[in-house]
Amino acid sequence: MPVGVYLDCGAVLIGGLLGAGLKNKIPKRLHHPLTVVFGISAVLIGVVSFIKLHSMPAVILAMILGTLIGELANLDTRLKKLFKSVIDRLHLKIEGDVENYMNFYIIVAATFCASGTNIFGAMNEAMTGDMTILLSKAVMDIFAGAIFACILGYAMNLIVVPQFVILCAFFYLGKLIMPYISETTLRDFTATGGLITFVIGLSIADVKHFRAVNMLPSLALIFPI
């Protein structure tokens, strides 16, 4: 059973509910500094993950081809439209500029659903039974969920659904491919996820906005490469 996945998704849900419920009681002047701090934390996680790489040419090639596929498929825009339609159907409130809101929303979704740490943690639990990585991530994600929900409101909690599906998929995929995966391949997979997490962190910290979702196909391409 993917216990670590349950814990991580549960932490995001609890944090999101708390943040959305208390958003009017937390001074708005704190929202931006806390978001920047989490973005910097994501950058640090990305750097730590990236330095584990084995083959830089493989990671770079995966990133180039993966980003090319993502841009051609326009994943970023498609996912924003999908989340926007669900938010509208559920009559959840969007505050401020809709375009800026959805740009931030999709970055947050990528943080929880496609973080290299989350995905590697799910696969590592499947392969070794050790859920330490996801447990550690859950501790951080409960605070991250609360911080982001102060800005995104209750719509933040919708992200838990794709997060659960994606992490469970990688958990069971990890069980299937375990006999065929070497340690070096996992290191390069972790490095690719770390590079994407680094880019996501820059976007969250408002240093530079990237269409990070369009880089996600790189996580699949690193295996055959």
Side-chain angles (χ1 to χ4, degrees):
M1 295 292 289
V3 178
V5 174
Y6 296 152
L7 290 174
D8 190 33
C9 293
V12 174
L13 180 61
I14 292 171
L17 290 172
L18 288 173
L22 299 174
K23 62 178 296 185
N24 293 326
K25 297 182 180 180
I26 298 175
K28 289 190 176 182
R29 61 187 177 83
L30 296 180
H31 294 179
H32 181 69
L34 290 174
T35 302
V36 170
V37 167
F38 186 80
I40 294 172
S41 300
V43 168
L44 179 60
I45 292 171
V47 171
V48 172
S49 299
F50 182 73
I51 60 177
K52 296 177 182 178
L53 91 167
H54 171 72
S55 173
M56 184 172 290
V59 173
I60 291 175
L61 181 59
M63 289 296 299
I64 292 173
L65 296 179
T67 302
L68 181 61
I69 291 172
E71 288 290 342
L72 291 174
N74 205 10
L75 290 179
D76 183 271
T77 302
R78 290 175 185 270
L79 285 177
K80 277 193 287 192
K81 287 182 179 179
L82 176 61
F83 276 118
K84 178 66 166 55
S85 65
V86 175
I87 291 171
D88 289 341
R89 284 180 179 273
L90 294 176
H91 304 291
L92 296 171
K93 185 179 180 181
I94 294 179
E95 296 183 358
D97 183 76
V98 175
E99 183 65 23
N100 290 336
Y101 180 96
M102 291 310 302
N103 283 338
F104 187 70
Y105 192 96
I106 203 68
I107 287 294
V108 172
T111 302
F112 289 122
C113 298
S115 162
T117 306
N118 283 24
I119 292 174
F120 177 72
M123 296 183 71
N124 184 69
E125 183 183 5
M127 295 176 180
T128 66
D130 182 8
M131 63 177 182
T132 304
I133 295 174
L134 285 178
L135 184 59
S136 301
K137 193 68 168 57
V139 173
M140 185 172 72
D141 282 352
I142 193 169
F143 293 102
I147 292 169
F148 293 142
C150 287
I151 300 171
L152 299 175
Y154 284 105
M156 157 72 206
N157 298 294
L158 296 176
I159 293 173
V160 176
V161 177
Q163 179 194 16
F164 180 75
V165 172
I166 290 170
L167 294 187
C168 279
F170 274 100
F171 176 86
Y172 290 108
L173 177 65
K175 284 184 174 294
L176 290 175
I177 67 176
M178 180 169 53
Y180 312 104
I181 299 298
S182 65
E183 182 183 350
T184 54
T185 304
L186 279 178
R187 287 170 60 184
D188 286 342
F189 174 79
T190 304
T192 305
L195 195 52
I196 295 175
T197 303
F198 178 87
V199 170
I200 289 172
L202 292 178
S203 297
I204 292 174
D206 205 22
V207 175
K208 172 71 176 177
H209 178 70
F210 295 94
R211 288 156 57 96
V213 171
N214 289 342
M215 301 177 183
L216 296 182
S218 308
L219 291 170
L221 291 179
I222 190 61
F223 288 106
I225 290 176

